[in-house]
Amino acid sequence: MAKETRGKPVTDERTEVKAPAAQDQVPEMMGTEFILRFYRLLKGASLYDRNNANIDRLVQEALQTINPFVQSQEQLFLKIVRDNFFFNNVRIPVKADRYSIFKIFSQEMARRMIGEVEFSQEMSPAALKDFIFLLSKLDEGNESNYLYVNRQLDSRGIHGVTVGKLDYLRDEDFLIDSERQKRQSKHIYFKTVNLVREVSEGIRTQKLINIRKAKHLMQNAVNSIMQDESALLGLTNIKNYDDYTFNHCVNVAIYAIALGQRIGIPKKQLSHLGMAGLFHDVGKVSIPKEVLNKTDKLSPQEWAMIRAHPVVGAEMVIRLKEWGELSARLIDASFEHHLKYDLSGYPKLARKRNITLFGKIIAIADFYDALVRPRIYRQYPYVSEKILGLMLDRAGRDFDPALVKVFINMIGIFPLGTLVLLNTNEIGIVVQTQEDPEVIDRPKICLLQYSDGEYRKGKSVDLREMDPATRSFKRSIVRTLDPNEYNIHVAEFLI
Ligand SMILES: [Fe+2]
Ligand SMILES: [Fe+2]
């Protein structure tokens, strides 16, 4: 594995790079730029044919990074080890807002079993084009792909670029790793549920609250989501009537962190966002359970009690000294989460106010989680696509429209845990969503087999799989199904 040699300070990568003075650029910045342009080119090669004008533009764009760099540094060497990128042996830190693009890129390379690309000479546009189409057309999962590419390049007289094998892609390693990740996430999830319960109890009985523990757990949650979004997001499928309030708070925190990550909120702020999510409903601790779980119509007094929880919560946080710098964030989150984007919600305001970013994020996470799960008074949860549709309808009134779009993209039209019917008449559960928006309707599915009166885990299939004979997809989703009707506990298949 390449050694990490961090050296120079990180400069703001948003600064436009105009002059090709590569020697002056920090490797992180050049590396990021190279990866983005190279990824766009690779993607272009799978969408367009060789003579398309877009390809020429993408080739030019990539060359603007490659050639000056090679000229000054003699070599441009990219190595991918799992989701880590090393550029001339310097590890490229992946910023949160680039996370999904880097991940797709590493998946694309991993599918082709290529882990290294090295440029050692300046390239002509024609040579780079040849190279990228060779790379793009490779078979999936063929270990000798790298030999094939290098031989082809040689025979075509293209020098100055070579590729290397993917270093680390043993299935069992991946499995072990994803199992470990799942275990870790589960641990974080249940610890957090317990913590919220403890804190709520502490507030009710006015005991001291262990805020450090909460912060620490949220930092772990942030790390876990940054490593693998799906592991913690999958756990939000846990549906539990008794612990509804606690589960709900933890889910809101998870959705909020995941959404925050996608819009590029820095890591430290993300754990604050998680805290704000955890405690957005803290004002509910004083509402009796009978009122919260009431299935009949609420009396005007009971309604007033419920509508007061944002203000009650904000006041509670003000009284608690130990929240420190977090206080303001938590107060905003509690106060704002039912206000709505156009301020038509509650509490009613005497004066206009701008809702904070955290408040807007938590409102979205809160709404989604409240509807996606069954409640005592509502036997069936809404299916996710319906809720996302509702949210889109209400974008601009109830929710920030830009955030709603990112959220929908994140949850996907078939989120983790969705029960689906396939055109092969099989049924299955979505166990992994696709990052690439173009194949968002082709997630990975765990097929369910019915035997002895119950559904059991069958094999996992990737809906992107094509049938070579018919050149069409092997399986496609026909529609979503309601797990309650089939008596299937989705969470059991996910954790
Ligand atoms: Fe609330
Ligand atoms: Fe809530």
Side-chain angles (χ1 to χ4, degrees):
M1 198 168 110
K3 217 176 126 218
E4 189 174 342
T5 45
R6 270 168 204 263
K8 297 176 190 170
V10 182
T11 13
D12 186 356
E13 61 163 82
R14 282 165 300 188
T15 322
E16 193 62 41
V17 192
K18 285 200 185 83
Q23 65 278 13
D24 299 332
Q25 316 292 346
V26 287
E28 284 97 332
M29 187 169 134
M30 293 305 292
T32 302
E33 189 181 275
F34 169 72
I35 290 167
L36 294 177
R37 292 183 174 187
F38 192 72
Y39 165 68
R40 277 203 290 270
L41 178 59
L42 182 62
K43 175 130 189 161
S46 68
L47 294 173
Y48 310 114
D49 65 45
R50 288 182 66 97
N51 303 321
N52 189 296
N54 283 312
I55 288 292
D56 290 325
R57 183 178 49 80
L58 293 168
V59 163
Q60 281 305 337
E61 203 182 83
L63 284 179
Q64 277 166 22
T65 305
I66 297 167
N67 282 347
F69 194 85
V70 172
Q71 200 180 35
S72 70
Q73 309 283 306
E74 282 172 17
Q75 173 213 43
L76 183 163
F77 179 53
L78 175 76
K79 187 174 173 71
I80 309 172
V81 184
R82 306 288 312 275
D83 290 336
N84 298 307
F85 298 83
F86 298 89
F87 187 69
N88 279 9
N89 294 333
V90 176
R91 186 174 163 176
I92 307 295
V94 181
K95 295 242 167 85
D97 56 342
R98 298 273 160 75
Y99 170 83
S100 41
I101 242 173
F102 274 62
K103 182 132 189 175
I104 298 169
F105 177 58
S106 91
Q107 282 168 352
E108 286 294 319
M109 296 296 276
R111 273 181 27 201
R112 296 171 170 86
M113 307 293 276
I114 301 291
E116 297 172 1
V117 180
E118 182 177 357
F119 292 95
S120 53
Q121 278 176 25
E122 286 183 54
M123 303 283 289
S124 70
L128 182 62
K129 204 196 256 188
D130 262 10
F131 169 60
I132 208 72
F133 275 93
L134 258 176
L135 203 60
S136 144
K137 302 273 182 299
L138 287 174
D139 295 340
E140 241 181 71
N142 187 340
E143 282 204 37
S144 47
N145 271 344
Y146 75 105
L147 291 171
Y148 170 78
V149 173
N150 290 339
R151 263 198 309 258
Q152 281 289 321
L153 288 169
D154 231 24
S155 69
R156 295 180 198 189
I158 299 172
H159 305 292
V161 60
T162 51
V163 292
K165 194 177 163 186
L166 192 67
D167 233 2
Y168 181 99
L169 192 87
R170 288 203 317 251
D171 260 3
E172 64 267 43
D173 289 340
F174 262 130
L175 279 177
I176 290 168
D177 207 61
S178 77
E179 279 308 313
R180 192 188 304 134
Q181 178 84 39
K182 269 187 182 169
R183 258 204 317 278
Q184 248 176 32
S185 305
K186 221 156 58 172
H187 184 71
I188 296 172
Y189 187 90
F190 289 109
K191 251 182 128 168
T192 315
V193 171
N194 280 332
L195 177 101
V196 181
R197 182 186 290 124
E198 236 171 70
V199 170
S200 308
E201 211 33 56
I203 291 175
R204 208 194 325 258
T205 53
Q206 302 193 334
K207 270 203 267 157
L208 263 184
I209 293 160
N210 194 345
I211 274 316
R212 274 188 41 206
K213 202 164 143 193
K215 272 193 192 163
H216 185 69
L217 271 171
M218 279 302 100
Q219 273 152 10
N220 285 342
V222 170
N223 286 336
S224 161
I225 287 176
M226 290 189 97
Q227 267 174 39
D228 180 3
E229 200 178 49
S230 62
L232 260 183
L233 272 179
L235 290 170
T236 56
N237 281 283
I238 295 169
K239 297 172 170 71
N240 187 330
Y241 293 105
D242 299 336
D243 275 349
Y244 172 78
T245 318
F246 308 129
N247 272 318
H248 168 67
C249 295
V250 178
N251 293 350
V252 169
I254 292 172
Y255 289 130
I257 294 173
L259 176 56
Q261 183 204 227
R262 291 208 167 208
I263 59 165
I265 293 180
K267 206 170 162 186
K268 187 179 172 200
Q269 299 292 321
L270 280 181
S271 68
H272 290 181
L273 178 61
M275 293 285 282
L278 275 190
F279 299 112
H280 75 282
D281 268 341
V282 68
K284 279 188 179 170
V285 297
S286 53
I287 305 177
K289 242 190 164 161
E290 303 80 74
V291 178
L292 287 177
N293 292 336
K294 197 167 174 185
T295 44
D296 305 332
K297 228 179 141 210
L298 293 172
S299 72
Q301 290 85 349
E302 287 166 337
W303 254 121
M305 226 189 265
I306 293 217
R307 290 172 73 98
H309 83 269
V311 176
V312 173
E315 285 168 356
M316 274 175 173
V317 180
I318 293 170
R319 275 200 302 275
L320 295 165
K321 302 279 180 292
E322 52 275 55
W323 305 78
E325 52 164 349
L326 261 169
S327 258
R329 299 298 210 176
L330 300 186
I331 294 167
D332 288 341
S334 177
F335 189 79
E336 294 174 344
H337 76 280
H338 292 288
L339 262 183
K340 299 196 168 156
Y341 186 64
D342 62 1
L343 304 178
S344 63
Y346 60 91
K348 285 281 163 259
L349 299 179
R351 223 171 344 119
K352 262 205 163 172
R353 142 188 198 124
N354 287 328
I355 302 182
T356 61
L357 178 62
F358 278 24
K360 289 178 191 164
I361 291 177
I362 287 166
I364 289 177
D366 182 44
F367 181 84
Y368 180 78
D369 187 67
L371 288 193
V372 84
R373 287 133 35 75
R375 300 289 295 273
I376 288 177
Y377 51 82
R378 196 177 57 227
Q379 190 187 359
Y380 301 127
Y382 288 112
V383 278
S384 166
E385 60 205 83
K386 222 181 199 171
I387 308 172
L388 296 176
L390 259 174
M391 291 175 78
L392 208 53
D393 276 353
R394 298 187 190 176
R397 281 180 290 145
D398 292 9
F399 310 111
D400 182 307
L403 289 176
V404 164
K405 278 193 197 136
V406 181
F407 187 77
I408 290 176
N409 201 16
M410 176 181 97
I411 297 287
I413 30 177
F414 303 116
L416 281 177
T418 309
L419 184 66
V420 292
L421 174 69
L422 304 178
N423 59 348
T424 49
N425 259 334
E426 294 161 300
I427 72 170
I429 287 175
V430 175
V431 286
Q432 200 187 322
T433 53
Q434 305 292 7
E435 299 259 357
D436 187 346
E438 276 172 43
V439 283
I440 205 163
D441 57 338
R442 310 217 147 263
K444 288 199 178 130
I445 304 279
C446 167
L447 296 176
L448 300 186
Q449 260 146 17
Y450 190 74
S451 64
D452 302 330
E454 60 175 341
Y455 285 97
R456 292 170 206 276
K457 239 183 192 171
K459 64 170 181 172
S460 287
V461 293
D462 189 331
L463 296 192
R464 289 179 308 185
E465 249 178 85
M466 306 276 276
D467 184 342
T470 59
R471 289 176 151 232
S472 57
F473 289 108
K474 280 188 177 167
R475 297 178 174 84
S476 300
I477 293 175
V478 179
R479 63 188 171 94
T480 55
L481 302 171
D482 188 335
N484 296 287
E485 279 174 34
Y486 293 79
N487 213 1
I488 291 171
H489 297 285
V490 171
E492 282 169 21
F493 294 91
L494 289 173
I495 58 179

